[in-house]
Amino acid sequence: MGIERWYVAIVDEGPLLTRALADPTFGENLSLPWLFEPDRHGRNHRGFYSEFLAAVDAMNRSHPGIDGRVFTLDRLFDMLHFLLSEERRRGEPDAADLGSKAILGANGLPGHLLGGQGHAIRYSPPAEVGAIAAWLAGQAVEDLRSAYDPGMMLEQHVYKIWGAGDDPQTWDRIAAGFEGFRSLYTDAAARGEGVLAIVT
């Protein structure tokens, strides 16, 4: 069993997020990032599930294009975290630099908002998204490549690096993941949106 990290743009302090913060039954649907995608399924469900989808639809109508700002780093998230964060490379457990905030989310949310295997869903509000986007814009793929050290990553217990670090396609996947990740933050920042960081 493995975990993945997803990133979902969301309207800050909008009805959907406000209710999710206060209502555990409604809010547990935040753990399903694909509910925010335009081609999602399950519209025939009843109760809070359908109410959540209705709230997502309302957000999409008021913010056209937001449903396209859903992105997953899949299982590459810790590899990219290692490359973006000097604190992560030093093995600091409470890294709070911008690279860590980008990957993990800037702020905690109420304890009932949990993703896969009990991981807390975290949130970066618009001001943090703007700061992260500006910082990511200054990061070059070549700079990340210079920090790519599979041996050190193995020593630091980087998730899923075992056996992958020697595969040249791993770096290509990380580089492509970084470009998509940076684009999500850039687009969300341009529109004043927050970003959820969700483990599935």
Side-chain angles (χ1 to χ4, degrees), residues 124-178:
S124 298
E128 291 279 9
V129 170
I132 291 167
W135 182 79
L136 287 173
Q139 306 305 306
V141 171
E142 295 76 17
D143 296 332
L144 301 184
R145 184 68 178 88
S146 67
Y148 183 62
D149 183 337
M152 184 182 296
M153 294 166 84
L154 192 60
E155 290 175 10
Q156 288 292 335
H157 307 289
V158 170
Y159 186 66
K160 292 294 183 182
I161 193 65
W162 186 85
D166 297 329
D167 180 355
Q169 292 183 344
T170 298
W171 167 252
D172 294 338
R173 290 172 51 233
I174 293 170
F178 170 68

Short mmCIF file of all heavy atoms in Angstrom, two decimals, residues 124-178:
data_model
loop_
_atom_site.label_atom_id
_atom_site.label_comp_id
_atom_site.label_asym_id
_atom_site.label_seq_id
_atom_site.Cartn_x
_atom_site.Cartn_y
_atom_site.Cartn_z
N SER A 124 -2.84 25.93 2.07
CA SER A 124 -2.09 27.17 1.87
C SER A 124 -3.06 28.24 1.41
O SER A 124 -3.64 28.12 0.31
CB SER A 124 -0.98 26.98 0.83
OG SER A 124 -0.05 26.01 1.26
N PRO A 125 -3.30 29.28 2.21
CA PRO A 125 -4.21 30.35 1.80
C PRO A 125 -3.57 31.20 0.70
O PRO A 125 -2.37 31.07 0.41
CB PRO A 125 -4.41 31.15 3.09
CG PRO A 125 -3.20 30.88 3.90
CD PRO A 125 -2.75 29.49 3.56
N PRO A 126 -4.35 32.08 0.08
CA PRO A 126 -3.85 32.82 -1.08
C PRO A 126 -2.52 33.55 -0.86
O PRO A 126 -1.68 33.56 -1.77
CB PRO A 126 -4.99 33.79 -1.38
CG PRO A 126 -6.21 33.06 -0.93
CD PRO A 126 -5.79 32.32 0.31
N ALA A 127 -2.33 34.17 0.29
CA ALA A 127 -1.06 34.87 0.52
C ALA A 127 0.12 33.92 0.47
O ALA A 127 1.17 34.23 -0.10
CB ALA A 127 -1.10 35.62 1.85
N GLU A 128 -0.05 32.74 1.08
CA GLU A 128 1.02 31.74 1.05
C GLU A 128 1.19 31.17 -0.37
O GLU A 128 2.32 30.93 -0.81
CB GLU A 128 0.71 30.61 2.02
CG GLU A 128 0.77 30.99 3.48
CD GLU A 128 2.20 31.01 4.04
OE1 GLU A 128 3.17 30.89 3.26
OE2 GLU A 128 2.31 31.15 5.27
N VAL A 129 0.09 30.97 -1.06
CA VAL A 129 0.18 30.47 -2.43
C VAL A 129 0.96 31.45 -3.30
O VAL A 129 1.80 31.05 -4.11
CB VAL A 129 -1.24 30.21 -3.02
CG1 VAL A 129 -1.16 29.92 -4.52
CG2 VAL A 129 -1.90 29.04 -2.29
N GLY A 130 0.71 32.74 -3.11
CA GLY A 130 1.44 33.75 -3.86
C GLY A 130 2.93 33.70 -3.58
O GLY A 130 3.76 33.78 -4.50
N ALA A 131 3.28 33.57 -2.29
CA ALA A 131 4.70 33.50 -1.92
C ALA A 131 5.35 32.24 -2.47
O ALA A 131 6.48 32.27 -2.97
CB ALA A 131 4.83 33.57 -0.39
N ILE A 132 4.64 31.12 -2.37
CA ILE A 132 5.17 29.85 -2.89
C ILE A 132 5.35 29.94 -4.41
O ILE A 132 6.39 29.52 -4.95
CB ILE A 132 4.24 28.69 -2.51
CG1 ILE A 132 4.30 28.43 -1.00
CG2 ILE A 132 4.61 27.42 -3.28
CD1 ILE A 132 3.19 27.52 -0.49
N ALA A 133 4.35 30.48 -5.11
CA ALA A 133 4.42 30.58 -6.57
C ALA A 133 5.60 31.44 -6.99
O ALA A 133 6.33 31.09 -7.94
CB ALA A 133 3.12 31.13 -7.12
N ALA A 134 5.80 32.56 -6.31
CA ALA A 134 6.92 33.45 -6.65
C ALA A 134 8.25 32.74 -6.42
O ALA A 134 9.19 32.87 -7.21
CB ALA A 134 6.83 34.73 -5.83
N TRP A 135 8.33 31.99 -5.34
CA TRP A 135 9.56 31.26 -5.04
C TRP A 135 9.80 30.14 -6.05
O TRP A 135 10.93 29.97 -6.55
CB TRP A 135 9.49 30.70 -3.62
CG TRP A 135 10.73 29.99 -3.20
CD1 TRP A 135 11.89 30.53 -2.76
CD2 TRP A 135 10.92 28.56 -3.20
NE1 TRP A 135 12.82 29.54 -2.48
CE2 TRP A 135 12.24 28.33 -2.74
CE3 TRP A 135 10.12 27.48 -3.53
CZ2 TRP A 135 12.77 27.05 -2.61
CZ3 TRP A 135 10.64 26.20 -3.40
CH2 TRP A 135 11.95 26.00 -2.95
N LEU A 136 8.76 29.38 -6.38
CA LEU A 136 8.91 28.30 -7.35
C LEU A 136 9.32 28.84 -8.73
O LEU A 136 10.04 28.17 -9.46
CB LEU A 136 7.61 27.51 -7.48
CG LEU A 136 7.24 26.59 -6.31
CD1 LEU A 136 5.84 26.01 -6.52
CD2 LEU A 136 8.26 25.47 -6.15
N ALA A 137 8.86 30.04 -9.06
CA ALA A 137 9.22 30.63 -10.34
C ALA A 137 10.72 30.83 -10.47
O ALA A 137 11.27 30.85 -11.58
CB ALA A 137 8.49 31.96 -10.55
N GLY A 138 11.39 30.98 -9.34
CA GLY A 138 12.83 31.17 -9.34
C GLY A 138 13.64 29.89 -9.28
O GLY A 138 14.87 29.93 -9.27
N GLN A 139 12.95 28.75 -9.23
CA GLN A 139 13.64 27.46 -9.16
C GLN A 139 13.76 26.87 -10.56
O GLN A 139 12.77 26.73 -11.27
CB GLN A 139 12.87 26.49 -8.26
CG GLN A 139 12.57 27.03 -6.86
CD GLN A 139 13.81 27.48 -6.13
OE1 GLN A 139 14.77 26.73 -5.99
NE2 GLN A 139 13.81 28.72 -5.68
N ALA A 140 14.97 26.55 -10.96
CA ALA A 140 15.20 25.97 -12.28
C ALA A 140 15.35 24.46 -12.17
O ALA A 140 15.88 23.95 -11.17
CB ALA A 140 16.47 26.57 -12.90
N VAL A 141 14.89 23.76 -13.19
CA VAL A 141 15.02 22.31 -13.21
C VAL A 141 16.48 21.91 -13.07
O VAL A 141 16.81 20.94 -12.38
CB VAL A 141 14.41 21.73 -14.51
CG1 VAL A 141 14.73 20.25 -14.64
CG2 VAL A 141 12.90 21.95 -14.53
N GLU A 142 17.38 22.70 -13.66
CA GLU A 142 18.81 22.39 -13.58
C GLU A 142 19.30 22.45 -12.14
O GLU A 142 20.18 21.67 -11.73
CB GLU A 142 19.62 23.35 -14.45
CG GLU A 142 19.35 23.23 -15.94
CD GLU A 142 18.01 23.85 -16.38
OE1 GLU A 142 17.44 24.65 -15.60
OE2 GLU A 142 17.55 23.52 -17.48
N ASP A 143 18.77 23.40 -11.35
CA ASP A 143 19.16 23.51 -9.94
C ASP A 143 18.69 22.29 -9.17
O ASP A 143 19.41 21.77 -8.30
CB ASP A 143 18.58 24.79 -9.32
CG ASP A 143 19.14 26.05 -9.95
OD1 ASP A 143 20.29 25.99 -10.45
OD2 ASP A 143 18.43 27.06 -9.96
N LEU A 144 17.49 21.84 -9.46
CA LEU A 144 16.98 20.64 -8.79
C LEU A 144 17.83 19.43 -9.17
O LEU A 144 18.11 18.58 -8.33
CB LEU A 144 15.52 20.40 -9.17
CG LEU A 144 14.51 21.50 -8.83
CD1 LEU A 144 13.10 21.03 -9.18
CD2 LEU A 144 14.60 21.91 -7.38
N ARG A 145 18.23 19.38 -10.42
CA ARG A 145 19.03 18.24 -10.88
C ARG A 145 20.35 18.16 -10.13
O ARG A 145 20.84 17.07 -9.84
CB ARG A 145 19.31 18.38 -12.39
CG ARG A 145 20.05 17.18 -12.99
CD ARG A 145 19.15 15.96 -12.97
NE ARG A 145 19.77 14.78 -13.57
CZ ARG A 145 20.53 13.90 -12.90
NH1 ARG A 145 20.78 14.10 -11.61
NH2 ARG A 145 21.02 12.84 -13.49
N SER A 146 20.91 19.32 -9.77
CA SER A 146 22.19 19.32 -9.06
C SER A 146 22.04 18.77 -7.64
O SER A 146 23.02 18.32 -7.04
CB SER A 146 22.78 20.73 -9.01
OG SER A 146 21.99 21.59 -8.22
N ALA A 147 20.82 18.81 -7.09
CA ALA A 147 20.57 18.28 -5.74
C ALA A 147 20.13 16.82 -5.77
O ALA A 147 19.97 16.21 -4.71
CB ALA A 147 19.50 19.14 -5.04
N TYR A 148 19.94 16.28 -6.97
CA TYR A 148 19.43 14.91 -7.09
C TYR A 148 20.56 13.92 -6.79
O TYR A 148 21.48 13.74 -7.58
CB TYR A 148 18.88 14.68 -8.50
CG TYR A 148 18.27 13.32 -8.72
CD1 TYR A 148 17.16 12.92 -7.99
CD2 TYR A 148 18.79 12.45 -9.67
CE1 TYR A 148 16.59 11.68 -8.20
CE2 TYR A 148 18.22 11.21 -9.90
CZ TYR A 148 17.12 10.82 -9.15
OH TYR A 148 16.55 9.59 -9.36
N ASP A 149 20.48 13.31 -5.63
CA ASP A 149 21.52 12.39 -5.16
C ASP A 149 20.83 11.16 -4.59
O ASP A 149 20.49 11.13 -3.40
CB ASP A 149 22.37 13.09 -4.10
CG ASP A 149 23.52 12.23 -3.59
OD1 ASP A 149 23.45 10.99 -3.72
OD2 ASP A 149 24.49 12.80 -3.06
N PRO A 150 20.57 10.15 -5.42
CA PRO A 150 19.83 8.98 -4.95
C PRO A 150 20.41 8.33 -3.71
O PRO A 150 19.68 7.84 -2.85
CB PRO A 150 19.86 8.04 -6.15
CG PRO A 150 19.96 8.95 -7.33
CD PRO A 150 20.85 10.07 -6.86
N GLY A 151 21.76 8.34 -3.59
CA GLY A 151 22.37 7.74 -2.40
C GLY A 151 22.00 8.48 -1.14
O GLY A 151 21.61 7.88 -0.13
N MET A 152 22.11 9.81 -1.17
CA MET A 152 21.74 10.61 -0.01
C MET A 152 20.24 10.53 0.25
O MET A 152 19.78 10.49 1.40
CB MET A 152 22.14 12.07 -0.21
CG MET A 152 21.86 12.94 1.01
SD MET A 152 22.29 14.69 0.74
CE MET A 152 24.07 14.55 0.52
N MET A 153 19.46 10.48 -0.81
CA MET A 153 18.01 10.37 -0.67
C MET A 153 17.64 9.06 0.02
O MET A 153 16.72 9.01 0.84
CB MET A 153 17.34 10.50 -2.04
CG MET A 153 17.52 11.88 -2.66
SD MET A 153 17.11 11.96 -4.42
CE MET A 153 15.33 12.19 -4.34
N LEU A 154 18.38 8.01 -0.30
CA LEU A 154 18.15 6.73 0.35
C LEU A 154 18.48 6.83 1.84
O LEU A 154 17.73 6.34 2.69
CB LEU A 154 18.98 5.65 -0.32
CG LEU A 154 18.68 4.19 0.03
CD1 LEU A 154 17.24 3.83 -0.32
CD2 LEU A 154 19.65 3.26 -0.68
N GLU A 155 19.59 7.50 2.16
CA GLU A 155 19.98 7.68 3.56
C GLU A 155 18.93 8.49 4.32
O GLU A 155 18.71 8.26 5.52
CB GLU A 155 21.33 8.40 3.64
CG GLU A 155 22.51 7.57 3.18
CD GLU A 155 23.80 8.37 3.18
OE1 GLU A 155 23.80 9.50 3.71
OE2 GLU A 155 24.81 7.87 2.63
N GLN A 156 18.30 9.44 3.65
CA GLN A 156 17.29 10.29 4.28
C GLN A 156 15.89 9.67 4.22
O GLN A 156 14.90 10.33 4.56
CB GLN A 156 17.28 11.68 3.63
CG GLN A 156 18.48 12.53 3.97
CD GLN A 156 18.49 12.96 5.42
OE1 GLN A 156 17.44 13.03 6.08
NE2 GLN A 156 19.67 13.22 5.95
N HIS A 157 15.81 8.42 3.78
CA HIS A 157 14.54 7.69 3.73
C HIS A 157 13.50 8.41 2.88
O HIS A 157 12.32 8.48 3.26
CB HIS A 157 14.01 7.44 5.15
CG HIS A 157 15.00 6.79 6.05
ND1 HIS A 157 15.39 5.48 5.91
CD2 HIS A 157 15.72 7.29 7.11
CE1 HIS A 157 16.29 5.19 6.84
NE2 HIS A 157 16.52 6.26 7.57
N VAL A 158 13.94 8.93 1.76
CA VAL A 158 13.00 9.57 0.84
C VAL A 158 12.03 8.51 0.31
O VAL A 158 12.45 7.43 -0.12
CB VAL A 158 13.74 10.27 -0.31
CG1 VAL A 158 12.77 10.72 -1.40
CG2 VAL A 158 14.54 11.46 0.23
N TYR A 159 10.77 8.84 0.35
CA TYR A 159 9.72 7.89 0.00
C TYR A 159 9.88 7.38 -1.44
O TYR A 159 10.03 8.16 -2.37
CB TYR A 159 8.35 8.57 0.17
CG TYR A 159 7.17 7.66 -0.03
CD1 TYR A 159 6.92 6.62 0.87
CD2 TYR A 159 6.29 7.85 -1.08
CE1 TYR A 159 5.83 5.78 0.70
CE2 TYR A 159 5.18 7.02 -1.25
CZ TYR A 159 4.97 5.98 -0.35
OH TYR A 159 3.88 5.16 -0.53
N LYS A 160 9.88 6.08 -1.59
CA LYS A 160 9.89 5.36 -2.86
C LYS A 160 11.17 5.56 -3.68
O LYS A 160 11.19 5.25 -4.87
CB LYS A 160 8.68 5.75 -3.72
CG LYS A 160 7.34 5.28 -3.15
CD LYS A 160 7.23 3.77 -3.14
CE LYS A 160 5.87 3.31 -2.63
NZ LYS A 160 5.75 1.85 -2.55
N ILE A 161 12.25 6.06 -3.06
CA ILE A 161 13.49 6.20 -3.82
C ILE A 161 14.19 4.86 -3.99
O ILE A 161 14.93 4.65 -4.95
CB ILE A 161 14.45 7.23 -3.17
CG1 ILE A 161 15.59 7.63 -4.13
CG2 ILE A 161 15.01 6.71 -1.86
CD1 ILE A 161 15.14 8.34 -5.37
N TRP A 162 13.94 3.94 -3.05
CA TRP A 162 14.61 2.64 -3.13
C TRP A 162 14.30 1.97 -4.46
O TRP A 162 13.14 1.78 -4.83
CB TRP A 162 14.16 1.74 -1.97
CG TRP A 162 14.92 0.46 -1.92
CD1 TRP A 162 16.12 0.23 -1.32
CD2 TRP A 162 14.53 -0.78 -2.52
NE1 TRP A 162 16.50 -1.08 -1.51
CE2 TRP A 162 15.55 -1.73 -2.24
CE3 TRP A 162 13.45 -1.19 -3.28
CZ2 TRP A 162 15.50 -3.05 -2.69
CZ3 TRP A 162 13.39 -2.51 -3.73
CH2 TRP A 162 14.42 -3.42 -3.43
N GLY A 163 15.34 1.64 -5.20
CA GLY A 163 15.17 0.98 -6.48
C GLY A 163 14.83 1.90 -7.64
O GLY A 163 14.96 1.53 -8.79
N ALA A 164 14.39 3.14 -7.33
CA ALA A 164 14.00 4.07 -8.39
C ALA A 164 15.12 5.02 -8.75
O ALA A 164 15.18 5.53 -9.86
CB ALA A 164 12.77 4.86 -7.97
N GLY A 165 16.01 5.28 -7.78
CA GLY A 165 17.05 6.28 -8.00
C GLY A 165 18.00 5.95 -9.14
O GLY A 165 18.56 6.84 -9.77
N ASP A 166 18.19 4.67 -9.40
CA ASP A 166 19.09 4.26 -10.47
C ASP A 166 18.41 4.22 -11.84
O ASP A 166 19.07 4.00 -12.86
CB ASP A 166 19.68 2.88 -10.16
CG ASP A 166 20.53 2.89 -8.90
OD1 ASP A 166 21.15 3.95 -8.64
OD2 ASP A 166 20.59 1.88 -8.20
N ASP A 167 17.13 4.44 -11.88
CA ASP A 167 16.38 4.41 -13.13
C ASP A 167 16.40 5.81 -13.74
O ASP A 167 15.86 6.75 -13.14
CB ASP A 167 14.94 3.96 -12.85
CG ASP A 167 14.09 3.90 -14.10
OD1 ASP A 167 14.57 4.28 -15.18
OD2 ASP A 167 12.92 3.48 -13.98
N PRO A 168 16.99 6.00 -14.91
CA PRO A 168 17.06 7.35 -15.49
C PRO A 168 15.70 7.97 -15.74
O PRO A 168 15.56 9.19 -15.78
CB PRO A 168 17.83 7.14 -16.80
CG PRO A 168 17.86 5.68 -17.05
CD PRO A 168 17.67 4.99 -15.74
N GLN A 169 14.67 7.14 -15.88
CA GLN A 169 13.33 7.69 -16.09
C GLN A 169 12.79 8.36 -14.84
O GLN A 169 11.88 9.18 -14.93
CB GLN A 169 12.38 6.59 -16.57
CG GLN A 169 12.71 6.08 -17.96
CD GLN A 169 11.72 5.05 -18.44
OE1 GLN A 169 10.96 4.48 -17.64
NE2 GLN A 169 11.72 4.79 -19.73
N THR A 170 13.34 8.01 -13.67
CA THR A 170 12.87 8.63 -12.43
C THR A 170 13.11 10.13 -12.47
O THR A 170 12.22 10.92 -12.12
CB THR A 170 13.55 8.01 -11.20
OG1 THR A 170 13.22 6.62 -11.14
CG2 THR A 170 13.09 8.68 -9.91
N TRP A 171 14.31 10.53 -12.88
CA TRP A 171 14.58 11.98 -12.94
C TRP A 171 13.64 12.66 -13.93
O TRP A 171 13.12 13.74 -13.65
CB TRP A 171 16.03 12.28 -13.30
CG TRP A 171 16.17 13.72 -13.67
CD1 TRP A 171 16.37 14.25 -14.89
CD2 TRP A 171 15.99 14.82 -12.77
NE1 TRP A 171 16.36 15.63 -14.82
CE2 TRP A 171 16.12 15.99 -13.54
CE3 TRP A 171 15.74 14.92 -11.39
CZ2 TRP A 171 16.01 17.27 -12.98
CZ3 TRP A 171 15.62 16.18 -10.83
CH2 TRP A 171 15.76 17.35 -11.61
N ASP A 172 13.38 12.04 -15.08
CA ASP A 172 12.49 12.64 -16.07
C ASP A 172 11.09 12.83 -15.49
O ASP A 172 10.44 13.86 -15.74
CB ASP A 172 12.41 11.76 -17.33
CG ASP A 172 13.74 11.70 -18.07
OD1 ASP A 172 14.58 12.61 -17.89
OD2 ASP A 172 13.94 10.73 -18.84
N ARG A 173 10.64 11.87 -14.71
CA ARG A 173 9.31 11.97 -14.09
C ARG A 173 9.28 13.07 -13.03
O ARG A 173 8.30 13.82 -12.91
CB ARG A 173 8.90 10.62 -13.47
CG ARG A 173 8.59 9.56 -14.53
CD ARG A 173 8.39 8.17 -13.92
NE ARG A 173 7.44 8.18 -12.83
CZ ARG A 173 7.69 7.67 -11.62
NH1 ARG A 173 8.87 7.13 -11.35
NH2 ARG A 173 6.77 7.71 -10.69
N ILE A 174 10.38 13.20 -12.28
CA ILE A 174 10.45 14.27 -11.27
C ILE A 174 10.42 15.63 -11.96
O ILE A 174 9.70 16.54 -11.53
CB ILE A 174 11.73 14.12 -10.41
CG1 ILE A 174 11.65 12.86 -9.54
CG2 ILE A 174 11.93 15.36 -9.54
CD1 ILE A 174 12.95 12.53 -8.85
N ALA A 175 11.21 15.78 -13.01
CA ALA A 175 11.28 17.07 -13.72
C ALA A 175 9.91 17.44 -14.29
O ALA A 175 9.47 18.59 -14.18
CB ALA A 175 12.33 17.01 -14.82
N ALA A 176 9.22 16.48 -14.89
CA ALA A 176 7.89 16.74 -15.43
C ALA A 176 6.91 17.06 -14.32
O ALA A 176 6.06 17.96 -14.45
CB ALA A 176 7.40 15.54 -16.25
N GLY A 177 7.02 16.34 -13.20
CA GLY A 177 6.15 16.61 -12.06
C GLY A 177 6.36 18.01 -11.52
O GLY A 177 5.40 18.72 -11.18
N PHE A 178 7.61 18.45 -11.46
CA PHE A 178 7.91 19.79 -10.98
C PHE A 178 7.26 20.85 -11.87
O PHE A 178 6.68 21.82 -11.37
CB PHE A 178 9.42 20.02 -10.92
CG PHE A 178 9.78 21.45 -10.66
CD1 PHE A 178 9.51 22.04 -9.43
CD2 PHE A 178 10.39 22.22 -11.65
CE1 PHE A 178 9.84 23.37 -9.19
CE2 PHE A 178 10.71 23.54 -11.42
CZ PHE A 178 10.44 24.12 -10.19
#
